[in-house]
């Protein structure tokens, strides 16, 4: 397939069929003109599960916590969850949800995290309800995530978690926030994670990679949507040459001293090249990164096609990495 001089990589067969069946509303790019309506539609169409629902008839212990921000103002909400009846401090997955930093919530991601990782790995999860753009600009999202991480580390005993076995992670925008959080904690002398789980992370505000151009108008999250989200996050700083790495980790010039990273991305998605470049930069800095480029995967393919063979392979690879990191 050729489009405007850019060769477009083919989709995995199962994923292509799912993508073709998605409604136009899902595939419509996010623009500054429709952003507010998309946020309203996301909030209405994705009702977040209640704490009672997340407890799943007693299988999990779940509570909402409110912790102070260093900058003052309203507290940050964290959703803490763990398998019920497991004694002793558990390792912790500190997780940031996706949605371009403009949509999504901390509750809706938990059923899958609890089912796929918390139960089989004996893992606690804290999901962060960071503020969304454009109502909150950078550095608000990062401040929320860092405040929650510091609080969880300082109150590990009360949470029943092991402060020395914390993995920070997230998907899409949440993966970008996890990468930024690793940089920020390193430079601030904050809590040190044993790993960073970066799933199709949103890393580069410049939006100018080969894959960003290649997948424009094709991927579910394309160059138009990406530009809209970064402009909402950065405001007047959008497009500036001095955007800090804590806003866009691809801007970082020093990736040394970071926790081992797991990075995965689809071959047919906007973020492919910035994610591959980030893994390469970690290697060049002497760090450890495990990189998976899933052939024929579009952005978020495992969410939209969870039973596809490629989605199952991706989940299994992530679980194997988590198991290795937690047992090291």
């Amino acid at each position: 397939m050729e489009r405007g001089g850019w060769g477009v990589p083919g989709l995995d067969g199962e994923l292509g069929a799912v993508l073709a069946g998605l409604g136009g509303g899902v595939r419509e790019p996010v623009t500054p003109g429709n952003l507010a309506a998309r946020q309203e539609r996301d909030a209405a169409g994705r009702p977040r599960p209640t704490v009672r629902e997340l407890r799943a008839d007693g299988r999990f212990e779940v509570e909402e916590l409110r912790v102070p921000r260093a900058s003052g103002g309203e507290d940050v909400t964290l959703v803490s969850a763990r398998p019920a009846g497991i004694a002793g401090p558990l390792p912790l997955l500190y997780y940031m949800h996706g949605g371009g930093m403009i949509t999504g919530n901390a509750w809706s991601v938990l059923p899958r995290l609890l089912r796929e990782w918390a139960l089989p790995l004996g893992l606690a999860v804290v999901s962060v309800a960071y503020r969304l753009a454009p109502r909150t600009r950078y550095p608000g999202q990062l401040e929320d995530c860092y405040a929650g991480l510091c609080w969880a580390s300082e109150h590990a005993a009360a949470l029943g978690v092991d402060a020395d076995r914390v993995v920070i992670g997230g998907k899409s925008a949440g993966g970008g926030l996890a990468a930024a959080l690793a940089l920020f904690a390193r430079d601030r002398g904050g809590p040190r994670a044993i790993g960073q789980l970066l799933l199709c992370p949103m890393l580069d505000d410049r939006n100018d990679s080969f894959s960003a151009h290649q997948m424009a108008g094709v991927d579910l999250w394309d160059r138009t949507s990406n530009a809209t989200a970064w402009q909402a996050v950065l405001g007047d700083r959008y497009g500036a040459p001095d955007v800090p790495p804590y806003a866009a980790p691809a801007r970082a010039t020093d990736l040394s001293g970071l926790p081992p990273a797991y990075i995965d991305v689809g071959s047919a998605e906007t973020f492919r090249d910035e994610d591959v470049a980030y893994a390469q930069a970690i290697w060049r800095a002497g760090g450890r990164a495990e990189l998976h480029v899933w052939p024929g995967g579009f952005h978020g393919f495992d969410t939209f096609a969870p039973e596809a063979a490629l989605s199952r392979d991706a989940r299994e690879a992530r679980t194997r990495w988590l198991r290795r990191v937690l047992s090291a």
Side-chain angles (χ1 to χ4, degrees):
M1 178 179 176
E2 294 285 336
R3 182 189 52 77
W6 303 88
V8 177
L11 290 171
D12 171 87
E14 287 183 284
L15 301 184
V18 169
L19 187 61
L22 292 178
V26 175
R27 302 192 65 169
E28 178 190 9
V30 185
T31 67
N34 69 22
L35 173 56
R38 291 290 289 268
Q39 289 179 313
E40 291 178 7
R41 190 173 77 193
D42 178 80
R46 193 190 313 190
R48 68 190 195 193
T50 65
V51 167
R52 181 178 179 181
E53 290 168 336
L54 290 171
R55 286 175 179 156
D57 296 324
R59 293 173 70 196
F60 302 101
E61 299 170 6
V62 182
E63 61 179 326
E64 295 179 0
L65 307 167
R66 288 171 177 80
V67 306
R69 292 189 180 96
S71 57
E74 296 182 4
D75 292 344
V76 184
T77 297
L78 307 176
V79 189
S80 172
R82 57 188 285 139
I86 301 181
L90 301 183
L92 172 65
L93 174 63
Y94 185 81
Y95 195 83
M96 277 66 68
H97 68 80
M101 291 179 277
I102 53 177
T103 62
N105 67 74
W107 291 261
S108 297
V109 296
L110 277 171
R112 189 168 176 180
L113 298 178
L114 294 174
R115 179 179 67 250
E116 294 182 2
W117 290 330
L119 272 180
L121 299 178
L123 186 68
V125 179
V126 167
S127 184
V128 189
Y130 59 84
R131 291 168 291 174
L132 300 178
R135 184 173 181 179
T136 298
R137 310 276 192 190
Y138 171 81
Q141 294 79 20
L142 180 61
E143 289 177 345
D144 293 352
C145 296
Y146 187 66
L149 179 64
C150 291
W151 188 93
S153 178
E154 292 165 4
H155 296 82
L159 284 174
V161 301
D162 185 346
D164 294 323
R165 287 200 298 162
V166 177
V167 173
I168 55 177
K171 189 170 187 179
S172 192
L177 282 167
L181 190 58
L183 291 166
F184 196 70
R186 178 198 66 182
D187 296 345
R188 289 290 183 94
R192 180 168 177 80
I194 61 171
Q196 46 181 331
L197 180 67
L198 312 180
L199 309 179
C200 53
M202 176 181 172
L203 300 170
D204 197 343
D205 64 296
R206 291 164 293 193
N207 203 23
D208 198 35
S209 70
F210 187 96
S211 59
H213 288 279
Q214 184 182 41
M215 302 310 299
V218 179
D219 193 17
L220 277 184
W221 183 263
D222 74 347
R223 194 163 180 255
T224 297
S225 298
N226 203 37
T228 301
W230 278 116
Q231 187 171 2
V233 171
L234 295 174
D236 292 341
R237 304 178 80 168
Y238 177 66
D242 59 347
V243 170
Y246 311 129
R251 300 273 194 150
T253 57
D254 177 12
L255 294 181
S256 63
L258 294 174
Y262 180 97
I263 302 172
D264 77 356
V265 68
S267 68
E269 71 166 288
T270 299
F271 294 152
R272 182 194 66 218
D273 292 350
E274 64 192 65
D275 292 355
V276 171
Y278 200 70
Q280 292 174 328
I282 291 173
W283 295 327
R284 287 195 295 267
R288 290 171 52 196
E290 179 173 327
L291 172 66
H292 293 262
V293 180
W294 297 106
F298 58 84
H299 186 65
F301 65 88
D302 59 303
T303 297
F304 290 94
E307 298 308 315
L310 198 72
S311 301
R312 293 197 301 269
D313 288 348
R315 290 198 302 273
E316 289 171 4
R318 297 163 187 168
T319 302
R320 286 195 299 269
W321 178 85
L322 269 172
R323 187 176 285 113
R324 287 198 306 273
V325 167
L326 294 173
S327 63

